[in-house]
Every structure is written in C-alpha cells, then in structure tokens.
C-alpha cells in the first residue's frame, strides 16, 4: 500500500531542489493514490515508483556565437519521461528560467496530458536556459543550429518528437528542422509545429488557444451556461494567448486583458480584432518580451508590474507560465465573482490557488486537460506526416473539437463529486494515469 506523505518524502529525497517537479507529482499522486491502492496489479507493479521516474534525461552543452563575436554557453536538455503509450512527445522551452527540475515537471505533466488526448503519444520535454529576449534573428538561428546538432542524436519520428513551447515558435522550429535535415538528410515528422510549406499542420499554431476555449465551452455547457457575453481575463501575449483571444471572440466572449513580464493591459474594447491579434504576433517576434506597446498603440490601459487577476471577470485563463496565479490571486478572483478558471499554461496555478478555487466551487480545469489541444494537433501533424498527406482546416478543427470533448467527458466520468461539482483535477489525473499505468503493467518492468 502507498501512503501519500511517506511516498512524497521519499520522492523529494530522491529529487532534491526540484520544487516544481515535486509540486506536480504531489498533485497527480494525491489524485490517483486510492485508485492505485485499490488495484493489486498497480501495487505489484510498483506503479507510482516507476511512473514518477523519467526513462532518461539528456543534458548537453550548447555553444554559439553572438553578433559581437563572443562565444556563449548554454545548457540544453531533453527529458524522455515515459514512452509506454507512444513515442516521447512534448515541446522545447527556451527561457532563462529553464532548469532540469522544471523540465522534469513538464515532462511528467506531458505524459498524462498526452494520454488524455486519446492519441498514442508518450511524454517528454526539453529546452534550454537560452533566452530569446533581446536576441537578433541571426543569433537565434545560430543558437538553434548548435542546439539541434546535439539534440538530433536523441530524437526521431518514431522515438521522440519535440515541438514548441515558451520561447519556441514557428521561427525556431523552422531553424531547428533545417539543421536536423542538414545533418540527417531526412524529411520526416521529427518535429511538429513546422511551417505549412514543409509538413506542418493547419491550425497547429492556434491549437492550444482554440483547444482551451473548446474545453471551456464544454465546461460551461455542462453547467447549462454559455460563452456568449462572458468577460475574460487572459495572461500572456504569445502564441497560446493569441489563439485563445481569437477563439473566445468567435464564441461571443470578450477578452479584456493580456499580459507580459512588464505588467498587464486592460482593453475594455476587447482584444477582438484582426489588427490586435496581428499586433500580438508582431510583439512576440520583436524578441522584447513586453506588452506595454499594445496599450500605446490601441489606447488601452497598462498596469506596470501587475497581474490581470485583480480585474472583475467571469472567466480567467492563465496562458503564460507555471505558478502565475497564486492563492492571493485566487482570492481576488473569487471576491470579484469569477465563475471559471481554465488553466491554459502548464501548472499555471499554485496548489494553494487550486484548493481555494475548488473550495469556492469555481469551475476549475487543470492545464493537462485544457491545454491538450496543442499537443493533440501535434499528434495529428505526425499522422499527416506519416501518410504524407495534408488534411484540410475543417478536418483538423473537427478532430480537435472532438478530442477536447472527449477529454472533457473523461474528466467528468472520473471527477464528478456527490454534489455534482466536477473535480477536473482529479478526473484528468485519474483518466490520464490509467492508460499509461495499464500500458506499463502490460509491457512488464
Ligand atoms: N508545448 C506544448 C505542450 O505543453 C505542445 C507540445 C507538443 O506539441 O508536442 O503541450
């Protein structure tokens, strides 16, 4: 039998100074521990010990030259967490905050998220402490080439398929793919999020943002509610926030905030026109990591150093980075009458925030369910690459909608409580866990 606190104490001893990994593991283990203790097969297979240990971790040096001719050194990583149900799959993050512990948390989460998508994908994550902020395109190109020169040894279309994440968008994926092809001479589906001219899928750039809104739409329908007329706070201004703002607008809601490390924008008119969406993309591509210029351009308000969670909204979508919405933020949102918080960044809310939101019976969805649309369309990109045939926008969008609906159903099935409240955290963890755990048991240790 497993006991939560002693299991977590041992996990922490084995993984010192990795607080995000421990936080993510605690959330999953506490959701599934009863299921495990009730199942002799899981106990015999030591499933919790095995599922919390990555299969392997690659760490490597990335040397590159900046525009002034100075040699720069960064750390590169690929965490291959679990391939029980399919090839390792998950993004690459380029951000100054990247550490091994952070990537282990992301690879662990990815394992359950990918399982929820219904597609055969294992979990992985990688990246570097390289920050694209303030770098020229030529520097980013040189960094990407150097990074891929090492990474290509460990990946392949049937073994491990990286994609984008924070700091890695279509530009970086293009540079990385170019270098992979230069070294290996192969046109394969080794990366997803590729450009449309070289094997990318339609809707992949928008998929995470679209998917989170489809998921939210299902949550609202379950409560007999609708997205129409909802006032929404979004954080971030990158690829995910961009897709979310577009789909929310299409569904009849109004997005009033976006944010960056410098503060947040309040746009009472709504982040709701093609011009504003195009400007978000331009801001991201400027490599400056600030949102303030949006306020100047569109006459919106800017609150320096603040987070959007102090605004009075019906729904909140953290779309930037882990732990960006804490217990205090949750209290403010609850006080202001928030009805739904849909975590769109990976572990965007602290455990404390999640507890407060659930206690107040706010509809809360965890990232591994709500943001799974991105990796789901990556899975569809892999299928298109394998059959050497591109699909239409309608086909991909319909499949994405169906996948988000089925993830929602899985969460409801495993997470509905006696009073009818849906514990989406528990539901997503149990549903995602079962498939991976069963596959591991069936394949033997
Ligand atoms: N980085 C995204 C995620 O967190 C997408 C991963 C992928 O497409 O492989 O799910």
């Amino acid at each position: 039998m497993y006991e939560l606190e002693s299991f977590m104490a041992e996990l922490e001893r084995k993984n010192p100074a990795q607080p995000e990994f421990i936080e993510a593991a605690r959330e999953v283990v506490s959701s599934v521990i009863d299921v495990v203790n009730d199942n002799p097969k899981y106990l015999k297979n030591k499933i919790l010990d095995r599922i919390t240990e990555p299969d392997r971790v690659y760490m490597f040096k990335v040397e590159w030259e900046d525009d002034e001719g100075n040699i720069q050194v960064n750390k590169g990583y690929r965490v291959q967490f679990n391939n029980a149900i399919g090839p390792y799959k998950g993004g690459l993050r380029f951000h100054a905050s990247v550490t091994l512990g952070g990537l282990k948390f992301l690879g662990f989460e990815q394992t359950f998220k990918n399982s929820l998508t219904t597609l055969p994908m294992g979990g992985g994550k990688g990246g570097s402490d390289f920050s694209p902020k303030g770098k020229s395109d030529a520097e980013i190109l040189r960094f990407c080439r150097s990074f891929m020169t090492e990474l290509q040894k460990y990946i392949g279309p049937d073994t491990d398929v990286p994609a984008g994440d924070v700091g890695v968008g279509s530009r970086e994926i293009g540079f990385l793919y170019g270098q992979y092809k230069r070294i290996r001479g192969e046109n394969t589906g080794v990366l997803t999020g590729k450009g449309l001219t070289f094997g990318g899928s339609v809707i992949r750039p928008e998929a995470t943002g679209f998917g989170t809104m489809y998921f939210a739409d299902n949550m609202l329908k379950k409560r007999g509610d609708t997205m129409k007329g909802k006032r929404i706070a979004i954080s971030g201004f990158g690829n995910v926030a961009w897709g979310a703002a577009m789909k929310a607008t299409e569904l009849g809601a109004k997005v009033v905030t976006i944010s960056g490390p410098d503060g947040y924008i309040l746009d009472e008119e709504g982040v709701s026109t093609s011009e504003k969406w195009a400007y978000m993309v331009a801001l991201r591509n400027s490599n400056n990591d600030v949102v303030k210029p949006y306020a100047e351009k569109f006459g919106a308000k800017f609150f320096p150093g603040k987070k959007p969670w102090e605004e009075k909204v019906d729904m909140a979508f953290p779309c930037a980075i882990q732990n960006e919405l804490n217990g205090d933020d949750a209290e403010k949102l609850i006080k202001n009458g928030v009805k739904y918080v849909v975590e769109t960044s990976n572990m965007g809310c602290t455990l404390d925030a999640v507890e407060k939101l659930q206690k107040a019976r706010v509809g809360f969805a965890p990232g591994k369910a709500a943001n799974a649309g991105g990796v789901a369309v990556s899975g569809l990109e892999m299928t298109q690459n394998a059959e050497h045939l591109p699909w239409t926008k309608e086909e991909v969008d319909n499949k994405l909608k169906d996948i988000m609906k089925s993830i929602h159903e899985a969460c409801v099935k495993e997470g509905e409580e006696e009073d009818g409240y849906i514990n989406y955290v528990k539901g997503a963890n149990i549903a995602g866990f079962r498939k991976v755990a069963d596959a591991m048991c069936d394949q033997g240790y």
Side-chain angles (χ1 to χ4, degrees):
M1 292 288 269
Y2 283 104
E3 194 274 314
L4 180 64
E5 290 313 324
S6 57
F7 179 80
M8 287 309 302
E10 180 59 7
L11 194 67
E12 216 169 329
R13 190 193 62 75
K14 287 198 284 188
N15 300 275
Q18 298 186 346
E20 290 147 328
F21 173 60
I22 297 298
E23 182 184 339
R26 175 175 282 278
E27 190 216 84
V28 172
V29 173
S30 50
S31 293
V32 304
I33 197 158
D34 291 343
V35 173
V36 172
N37 283 335
D38 281 347
N39 188 327
K41 181 178 75 174
Y42 292 159
L43 290 174
K44 184 165 180 288
N45 273 281
K46 283 256 165 102
I47 203 70
L48 287 185
D49 298 71
R50 290 169 56 204
I51 217 164
T52 50
E53 189 66 34
D55 291 349
R56 70 192 63 77
V57 170
Y58 295 106
M59 288 177 66
F60 48 91
K61 179 170 65 168
V62 188
E63 298 178 339
W64 56 283
E65 196 178 323
D66 69 20
D67 287 344
E68 279 75 52
N70 304 308
I71 294 172
Q72 302 282 347
V73 183
N74 285 97
K75 284 180 182 293
Y77 307 88
R78 185 70 183 165
V79 176
Q80 296 185 335
F81 215 101
N82 189 301
N83 70 350
I85 65 170
Y88 303 106
K89 181 83 198 84
L92 297 170
R93 178 174 290 194
F94 293 169
H95 194 264
S97 69
V98 164
T99 59
L100 174 60
L103 294 176
K104 275 174 66 183
F105 126 65
L106 289 161
F108 179 73
E109 289 286 288
Q110 197 83 43
T111 302
F112 305 105
K113 180 197 317 197
N114 293 3
S115 160
L116 284 169
T117 64
T118 70
L119 303 174
M121 299 183 289
K125 201 85 183 192
S128 174
D129 60 354
F130 169 81
S131 166
K133 188 177 170 177
K135 304 289 191 302
S136 69
D137 282 6
E139 288 175 323
I140 292 174
L141 172 65
R142 287 197 291 275
F143 173 81
C144 286
R145 283 186 171 164
S146 195
F147 183 84
M148 183 51 94
T149 301
E150 182 67 20
L151 183 71
Q152 56 89 21
K153 296 174 190 166
Y154 317 119
I155 60 175
D158 293 314
T159 51
D160 184 354
V161 184
D165 194 77
V166 174
V168 179
S170 53
R171 172 183 52 195
E172 291 76 14
I173 291 292
F175 292 163
L176 291 163
Y177 189 70
Q179 183 69 350
Y180 181 86
K181 209 154 49 71
R182 205 165 286 117
I183 297 172
R184 304 282 285 256
E186 295 164 0
N187 270 294
T188 63
V190 70
L191 295 175
T192 58
K194 298 184 293 300
L196 288 181
T197 52
F198 53 96
S201 174
V202 281
I203 318 229
R204 177 62 191 90
E206 300 89 340
T208 311
F210 280 18
T212 198
M213 289 300 159
Y214 291 149
F215 191 88
D217 193 35
N218 279 289
M219 288 173 81
L220 269 66
K221 281 194 182 123
K222 175 83 189 149
R223 282 194 179 184
D225 202 350
T226 164
M227 294 283 290
K228 280 213 173 58
K230 289 281 181 297
R231 184 177 159 89
I232 294 183
I234 283 181
S235 64
F237 67 98
N239 177 259
V240 176
W242 165 79
M246 292 194 290
K247 189 52 77 178
T249 307
E250 194 189 310
L251 295 175
K254 192 200 249 187
V255 173
V256 291
T257 71
I258 53 171
S259 73
D262 53 332
Y264 80 91
I265 301 284
L266 176 64
D267 185 350
E268 286 292 355
E269 302 287 304
V271 184
S272 55
T273 62
S274 335
E275 201 194 346
K276 290 175 179 176
W277 301 328
Y279 192 69
M280 287 170 82
V281 177
L283 272 183
R284 193 236 166 226
N285 286 340
S286 73
N287 305 339
N288 288 326
D289 213 13
V290 290
V291 278
K292 192 173 172 220
Y294 179 105
E296 287 148 13
K297 185 160 169 69
F298 296 108
K301 280 193 191 149
F302 176 66
F303 297 88
K306 296 267 186 118
K307 297 193 266 185
W309 319 130
E310 60 188 27
E311 286 300 324
K312 189 170 163 47
V313 289
D314 304 305
M315 306 180 78
F317 289 75
C319 292
I321 200 100
Q322 65 268 16
N323 291 335
E324 55 174 312
L325 195 160
N326 62 28
D328 292 344
D329 300 322
E331 272 171 22
K332 277 184 213 154
L333 284 166
I334 294 165
K335 210 173 117 238
N336 282 327
V338 76
K339 293 187 195 72
Y340 305 89
V341 175
V342 183
E343 196 182 52
T344 307
S345 42
N346 291 305
M347 206 167 76
C349 300
T350 61
L351 287 175
D352 181 31
V354 176
E355 263 168 36
K356 285 182 172 144
L357 293 165
Q358 289 182 327
K359 205 162 158 228
R361 289 321 205 207
V362 170
F364 174 77
K368 65 171 76 68
N371 76 24
V375 75
V377 175
S378 275
L380 302 179
E381 183 173 330
M382 286 166 73
T383 310
Q384 294 170 72
N385 291 164
E387 60 180 26
H388 302 283
L389 274 179
W391 298 347
T392 63
K393 205 167 168 179
E394 206 187 354
E395 268 175 291
V396 177
D397 198 25
N398 283 338
K399 285 201 163 64
L400 172 62
K401 265 186 215 154
D402 287 348
I403 289 171
M404 298 317 294
K405 189 163 178 254
S406 93
I407 298 175
H408 184 265
E409 277 163 10
C411 293
V412 172
K413 185 168 170 256
E414 303 278 4
E416 189 152 13
E417 296 188 344
E418 274 164 19
D419 63 355
Y421 179 74
I422 316 292
N423 186 336
Y424 286 93
V425 176
K426 190 171 158 208
N429 284 335
I430 295 178
F433 169 85
R434 267 194 220 281
K435 185 173 168 190
V436 180
D438 289 343
M440 287 171 75
C441 295
D442 290 348
Q443 292 170 36
Y445 68 88

